[in-house]
Amino acid sequence: MSRYLPREIEGKWQSVWAEEGTWEVAGPGDPGFDPSRPAAYVLEMLPYPSGEPHVGHLKCYSVGDAIAHFRRRNGFEVIHPMGYDSFGLPAENNAIKTGEPPLTATTRSIESFRRQFNEWGISIDWTREIATHTPEYYRWTQWIFLQLFEAGLAYRDRAPVQWCPNDATVLANEQVIDGRCERCGTEVETRNLEQWFFRTTAYAERLLEDFDLLESWPEHVITMQRNWIGRSEGAEVMFRCEEVGIDFPVFTTRPDTLFGATFFVLAPEHPELEALVAGTEAEGPVRDYVNQVARASVEERGDEARPKTGVPLGRSVTNPVNGEQIPMFVADYVLMDYGTGAVMAVPAHDERDYAFARAFDLPIERVIEGVDEEAEDLDADGLPYSGDGPMVRSGRFDGMNNRKAYDEIVEWLSAEGRGESAVNYRLRDWLVSRQRYWGAPIPIVHCPECGMVPVPDDQLPVELPEISDYAPKGKSPLEAATDWVEVDCPGCGAAARRETDTMDTFVDSSWYFLRYLDPANGTTAFEREKADHWMPVDQYIGGVEHAILHLLYARFFVKALSDLGHIETPEPFANLFTQGMITRDGAKMSKSKGNTVSPADYVERFGADSARAYVCFMGPPERGGDWSDEGVEGVHRFLARLWRAATDLAEAEGQDPDGASCPADFEGDARVLAAKANWAIDKATGDFSRGFQFNTVIAAVMELVNEVYRTRDDLAGDAAGVAALRFAIATAASLIQPFAPHLAAEVWEMVVGGRVWEVPWPEADPAMLISETATIVIQVNGKVRDRIEVPDGIGESELLLAAREAPNVVRYLEGTETVKEVVVPGKLVNLVVKPA
RNA sequence: GCGGCGGUGGCGGAACUGGUAUACGCGAUGGAUUCAAAAUCCAUUGCCCGCAAGGGCAUGUGGGUUCGAUUCCCACCCGCCGCACCA
């Protein structure tokens, strides 16, 4: 008996797959393309190559590979590519610290990732490999940027933006979490800078609507995106300050409460603030207040429990519905980046306005009657009231229900030219420029004559120049590459300067899944025919941490590319699966805590198959789980058991090309084992199709292998027994193949011969799923009192008779009369009795 | 505060449409094998009472529907995740 040596087996099959290009597939226009085969695109999120792959990668690619294998064996032509999200800050920060160029560290990391993905035996079509930092790739990132630029979807603008002082760059809204930089956790500052944006807001509505086009996304991810886009319906209403002659539009979701507006508030960043108070008594206090707010952190300001603060401006605006003059304030509870940065305050019907009115002793005018049954913290009048009811103190709308008044007031304002219905989004345009080195240069030249000039297509890529000092200085390190910066304008030939900001690395990863489909194309980013053949991605797999960032950006990109005629589908990912995080001792793994798990160690000790199958066996993959060394060993033990059963059989009986089929004439133990194998096929197929319940698929194969051990001593003696054993072992190998592809290949070769990955996914024989006898549970008054074995398909009356005779049941029936008999065929009998 | 997900043995988890709760794995205990150990194989393993047969209690808590509830309904407690002064 030989020992299970995973490293040998795994090396053997990895060589076979590499030499034969087993996982390579052809698309339209490629040699060998077969249009009749159904296509499936299985994709895991692009890894950022830094150091070594961690367990999160192991889980993601193990899950994805299992799906890829399962689809292949169900007849699909599966494209399953791999690449690297290889631009980004870690490599650059390392360069600042050590002086090693980002390219060197990145190349090293990529080699390590590639090597380990191979050692894991992930079924990747390596001919499609990409890395976003290569000029061959970012040439097309730049091309897409210019496509967006020409379509008016990329623009440059001065705006208040979020600046991370530690990373010395601006950030997109999505990259600021609770006022802190998503990457490094430093508190961000607001700066007024000229930056590049993608017009994501132009797609706000479609980003919402097209959730309907998705086949299966986790509901919580859709909810998160919905919240992020933050659509709200209402009206834009104009308030005029007659004293200085400025109109202030406000967005409100409650135009029905307009008559209750008793004051008016501007955000501290409001651009007209200066003009309103210049030269007045309020100027000093307002300036002090604005400065004080500017110093406060985003986190402090966001605290809604904090008492309301603000300063009167000494000005007033006219309420357009009743002509009343209402006083103006500046207060930090009004945010500049939502709506218009100004609000009409209706203290009677809005909690925040109410709190402010209380603090500043301002009038509170109720305009909707009603009682809020559920609300707490109301004053004696039941205010603030946010429910519905009849209008009061609202002129000709008095007595009307507020919902109706809502529509009529908007209509009236529209007719008067003082307002209109409006939809507002929380979503901002995507800020894509970064003042950092290790990213794709923005392909624009600034010409004193022509302005912003796109670099012509035939001059792409704009290659990232080599520099010596990567340290950020508040502007892009590329500024220092004078030879590179100074160019002739592509339009007029005048001396001009290149744009020195680089692109957010999320731009790189917003379209990589398209480049995989045509990776070597030197004349276009991807051929539409190829993209349309494979897209959208049938199954996307990755962590929830990208629920908003990457997934929203990629959706935006595909919509834009679709509108520009480059691709058919408007959605990149038809089905999304988000895997849960693996922890260690209940805590998130991190280098600083020293609780990281290195997949390479486990692959070394137990083999890739054990490590892969273990992460799939830990629990439902969408949930997280705690890493356990004993757990890996357990899975390894199971694989070794299968291996030993197979070697024992192969040594004694050789291979049999028909071994994978199940003869129908088994009897006794042979029949029991064959039935178990068919049960496992049925269970595994069902669990695979229902979702991604890989843990129970693996458990079913474990049960099958346990059954092999229970019966094999008795079966090894005769031909039928050997056939049953062979069938069971072959079935186990076949079912475990998506999780342990090397072992499965080896076992299959030993007992059947040939290649398991080329064998169609097995189908259970329905006749073998029916057992000859059934165990029936007998309950008396809902409590289990006995179990009986009966022939399958027994009649109801016979069953009831047998049930009443079951030894332990008899005692409970003595001296009772039966009220009711419940029979569930093949499962259970419940006798409901009461004392006679 | 709002929204989502979850709470089952010593631990990770299973139970597809309301029908044997605790599959499978880990751990533990005992046995076989061995000079010995590792490895392996076999058996036992929810808790309590009982020599046993058997009984009682158990799926966060309390109620409800039902012949029967981990599963459905109501209320509550706890944990995790997301959002949160969005006008």
Side-chain angles (χ1 to χ4, degrees):
Chain A
M1 192 178 72
S2 38
R3 219 164 93 85
Y4 172 44
L5 296 170
R7 301 291 278 164
E8 274 175 32
I9 299 169
E10 290 173 4
K12 166 183 163 185
W13 293 104
Q14 282 159 17
S15 305
V16 169
W17 298 331
E19 277 160 29
E20 300 191 359
T22 311
W23 317 118
E24 291 168 21
V25 291
D30 298 334
F33 173 60
D34 176 1
S36 69
R37 291 196 63 189
Y41 193 168
V42 176
L43 183 66
E44 301 93 34
M45 286 181 186
L46 188 66
Y48 174 77
S50 166
E52 305 256 311
H54 52 74
V55 271
H57 291 114
L58 177 67
K59 182 168 176 180
C60 184
Y61 299 108
S62 298
V63 166
D65 206 36
I67 297 167
H69 280 303
F70 184 69
R71 297 252 167 119
R72 276 189 200 104
R73 295 185 59 205
N74 278 285
F76 288 91
E77 180 84 338
V78 173
I79 188 168
H80 189 222
M82 180 59 77
Y84 312 97
D85 187 16
S86 39
F87 268 139
L89 275 184
E92 186 171 350
N93 288 339
N94 172 64
I96 294 162
K97 225 186 309 169
T98 65
E100 179 183 49
L103 179 62
T104 314
T106 300
T107 307
R108 195 173 52 232
S109 289
I110 287 178
E111 277 163 9
S112 152
F113 270 61
R114 186 189 295 123
R115 189 182 63 247
Q116 294 208 33
F117 290 153
N118 271 314
E119 285 174 1
W120 297 352
I122 310 289
S123 62
I124 294 161
D125 179 351
W126 286 107
T127 62
R128 297 174 180 273
E129 186 185 26
I130 58 108
T132 61
H133 76 285
T134 59
E136 298 77 49
Y137 183 87
Y138 69 69
R139 178 210 191 296
W140 300 109
T141 306
Q142 293 172 338
W143 176 81
I144 294 174
F145 180 96
L146 294 176
Q147 289 285 306
L148 297 178
F149 180 71
E150 269 143 38
L153 290 169
Y155 67 94
R156 194 169 156 85
D157 195 18
R158 178 170 287 276
V161 296
Q162 323 250 33
W163 171 270
C164 172
N166 182 53
D167 288 338
T169 181
V170 296
L171 299 169
N173 273 29
E174 289 78 13
Q175 290 154 25
V176 179
I177 313 288
D178 290 333
R180 289 169 183 277
C181 170
E182 177 243 350
R183 288 215 60 86
C184 67
T186 309
E187 259 184 41
V188 299
E189 299 163 3
T190 307
R191 292 196 180 180
N192 211 28
L193 295 170
E194 202 170 319
Q195 295 293 328
W196 283 96
F197 294 88
F198 285 161
R199 213 176 288 281
T200 41
T201 53
Y203 282 89
E205 197 59 43
R206 286 194 39 212
L207 286 166
L208 285 172
E209 280 170 10
D210 289 356
F211 286 132
D212 293 345
L213 303 178
L214 305 174
E215 282 170 41
S216 161
W217 272 42
E219 206 44 56
H220 67 278
V221 173
I222 293 180
T223 307
M224 280 164 76
Q225 290 207 2
R226 238 189 211 118
N227 289 342
W228 186 261
I229 296 166
R231 181 185 200 274
S232 49
E233 283 184 20
E236 194 163 288
V237 183
M238 203 63 85
F239 284 70
R240 186 171 177 78
C241 176
E242 299 290 351
E243 298 144 292
V244 290
I246 300 175
D247 282 322
F248 289 95
V250 300
F251 175 77
T252 175
T253 53
R254 294 298 304 274
D256 49 329
T257 64
L258 259 163
F259 285 89
T262 55
F263 58 101
F264 193 88
V265 192
L266 296 182
E269 300 82 4
H270 200 286
E272 305 289 4
L273 211 46
E274 192 72 31
L276 283 166
V277 296
T280 72
E281 276 177 23
E283 187 171 9
V286 166
R287 183 164 302 151
D288 290 348
Y289 181 73
V290 168
N291 287 339
Q292 177 200 320
V293 170
R295 277 196 304 273
S297 69
V298 180
E299 210 171 342
E300 277 164 29
R301 184 167 169 187
D303 180 8
E304 97 194 74
R306 199 175 45 114
K308 295 278 179 285
T309 61
V311 175
L313 300 182
R315 300 284 189 192
S316 59
V317 288
T318 311
N319 185 339
V321 295
N322 56 16
E324 270 177 30
Q325 294 298 302
I326 55 175
M328 299 180 82
F329 289 82
V330 56
D332 66 357
Y333 82 91
V334 175
L335 310 171
M336 193 58 222
D337 59 3
Y338 185 79
T340 62
V343 303
M344 64 173 211
V346 184
H349 303 289
D350 180 282
E351 253 180 78
R352 297 148 302 168
D353 298 342
Y354 182 82
F356 191 85
R358 280 308 186 115
F360 287 80
D361 206 17
L362 295 161
I364 297 168
E365 187 92 346
R366 174 166 206 154
V367 293
I368 296 169
E369 296 286 4
V371 181
D372 208 331
E373 304 282 349
E374 300 203 351
E376 298 154 27
D377 303 331
L378 299 177
D379 74 0
D381 306 328
L383 294 177
Y385 174 64
S386 57
D388 297 321
M391 307 279 294
V392 293
R393 292 188 202 85
S394 298
R396 61 193 175 89
F397 300 98
D398 282 356
M400 190 184 288
N401 180 278
N402 70 300
R403 300 266 178 146
K404 187 153 188 277
Y406 177 113
D407 294 332
E408 298 214 353
I409 289 173
V410 172
E411 210 171 296
W412 172 48
L413 286 171
S414 281
E416 298 272 310
R418 280 182 290 187
E420 59 189 353
S421 68
V423 174
N424 196 59
Y425 300 93
R426 199 181 88 110
L427 181 72
R428 302 289 86 189
D429 280 342
W430 174 13
L431 199 175
V432 295
S433 42
R434 296 289 180 273
Q435 290 71 51
R436 298 298 301 249
Y437 171 72
W438 194 231
I442 292 175
I444 293 285
V445 171
H446 297 278
C447 170
E449 301 299 321
C450 317
M452 287 182 292
V453 182
V455 174
D457 215 44
D458 59 8
Q459 290 173 32
L460 294 179
V462 175
E463 285 209 36
L464 198 55
E466 281 179 29
I467 59 170
S468 51
D469 182 9
Y470 304 100
K473 299 171 181 67
K475 53 184 185 176
S476 171
L478 287 178
E479 296 269 355
T482 336
D483 290 354
W484 179 83
V485 172
E486 289 167 4
V487 284
D488 296 341
C489 168
C492 67
R497 290 175 62 79
R498 284 192 193 281
E499 170 66 56
T500 55
D501 282 358
T502 53
M503 286 185 239
D504 181 1
T505 55
F506 279 103
V507 177
D508 308 327
S509 56
S510 289
W511 75 280
Y512 73 100
F513 43 86
L514 298 171
R515 186 64 181 170
Y516 280 146
L517 308 178
D518 200 1
N521 200 320
T523 53
T524 176
F526 52 89
E527 254 176 51
R528 178 164 176 164
E529 193 195 2
K530 291 184 176 174
D532 286 344
H533 174 70
W534 297 107
M535 287 295 285
V537 170
D538 293 280
Q539 187 61 60
Y540 201 35
I541 301 123
V544 236
E545 63 274 19
H546 292 108
I548 293 173
L549 291 155
H550 164 61
L551 290 168
L552 194 68
Y553 295 151
R555 291 184 65 217
F556 162 74
F557 253 56
V558 167
K559 286 184 193 309
L561 289 170
S562 176
D563 284 357
L564 294 172
H566 297 300
I567 185 173
E568 173 75 37
T569 182
E571 282 291 336
F573 315 120
N575 296 286
L576 173 68
F577 180 82
T578 53
Q579 100 231 22
M581 199 176 46
I582 298 179
T583 55
R584 169 83 148 181
D585 306 322
K588 201 169 167 170
M589 291 185 201
S590 72
K591 281 187 194 129
S592 57
K593 274 185 228 141
N595 65 342
T596 52
V597 170
S598 163
D601 293 348
Y602 291 86
V603 171
E604 175 69 33
R605 277 160 64 197
F606 302 107
D609 283 337
S610 297
R612 293 178 54 167
Y614 170 63
V615 292
C616 291
F617 182 67
M618 291 174 81
E622 68 274 17
R623 269 195 258 161
D626 209 55
W627 182 271
S628 142
D629 282 8
E630 290 78 18
V632 192
E633 282 183 58
V635 170
H636 181 255
R637 241 186 319 253
F638 151 66
L639 294 179
R641 265 162 81 82
L642 174 55
W643 159 264
R644 273 193 306 274
T647 31
D648 290 352
L649 180 78
E651 276 166 22
E653 308 284 346
Q655 3 168 286
D656 178 354
D658 296 324
S661 57
C662 175
D665 53 356
F666 284 137
E667 281 172 6
D669 270 354
R671 158 121 196 152
V672 170
L673 180 58
K676 187 79 185 180
N678 276 280
W679 166 85
I681 293 170
D682 189 56
K683 169 84 176 146
T685 309
D687 288 353
F688 244 115
S689 320
R690 254 191 297 280
F692 302 97
Q693 292 191 45
F694 299 153
N695 51 331
T696 53
V697 174
I698 295 168
V701 185
M702 286 173 167
E703 284 195 55
L704 173 57
V705 172
N706 288 345
E707 192 64 28
V708 167
Y709 274 76
R710 244 189 304 277
T711 53
R712 67 178 186 158
D713 287 347
D714 297 334
L715 293 177
D718 64 286
V722 168
L725 277 172
R726 192 187 299 278
F727 169 63
I729 290 167
T731 299
S734 182
L735 297 177
I736 207 67
Q737 185 267 345
F739 311 102
H742 313 88
L743 173 87
E746 187 71 15
V747 166
W748 187 270
E749 190 182 55
M750 277 193 282
V751 302
V752 180
R755 309 168 139 194
V756 69
W757 66 85
E758 290 172 357
V759 174
W761 189 255
E763 267 179 65
D765 175 358
M768 292 295 289
L769 295 175
I770 302 158
S771 61
E772 287 153 356
T773 62
T775 306
I776 307 291
V777 171
I778 317 297
Q779 298 183 335
V780 179
N781 287 340
K783 281 184 188 282
V784 178
R785 294 304 177 188
D786 215 335
R787 293 180 170 88
I788 54 170
E789 284 285 318
V790 296
D792 196 58
I794 186 177
E796 203 168 289
S797 50
E798 273 176 278
L799 177 59
L800 277 169
L801 220 59
R804 291 184 167 279
E805 280 161 13
N808 201 42
V809 172
V810 174
R811 312 187 316 153
Y812 286 91
L813 296 183
E814 244 167 66
T816 66
E817 83 183 82
T818 303
V819 181
K820 191 171 179 178
E821 292 165 330
V822 182
V823 178
V824 181
K827 291 219 155 142
L828 153 155
V829 170
N830 188 11
L831 302 168
V832 186
V833 301
K834 65 174 188 190

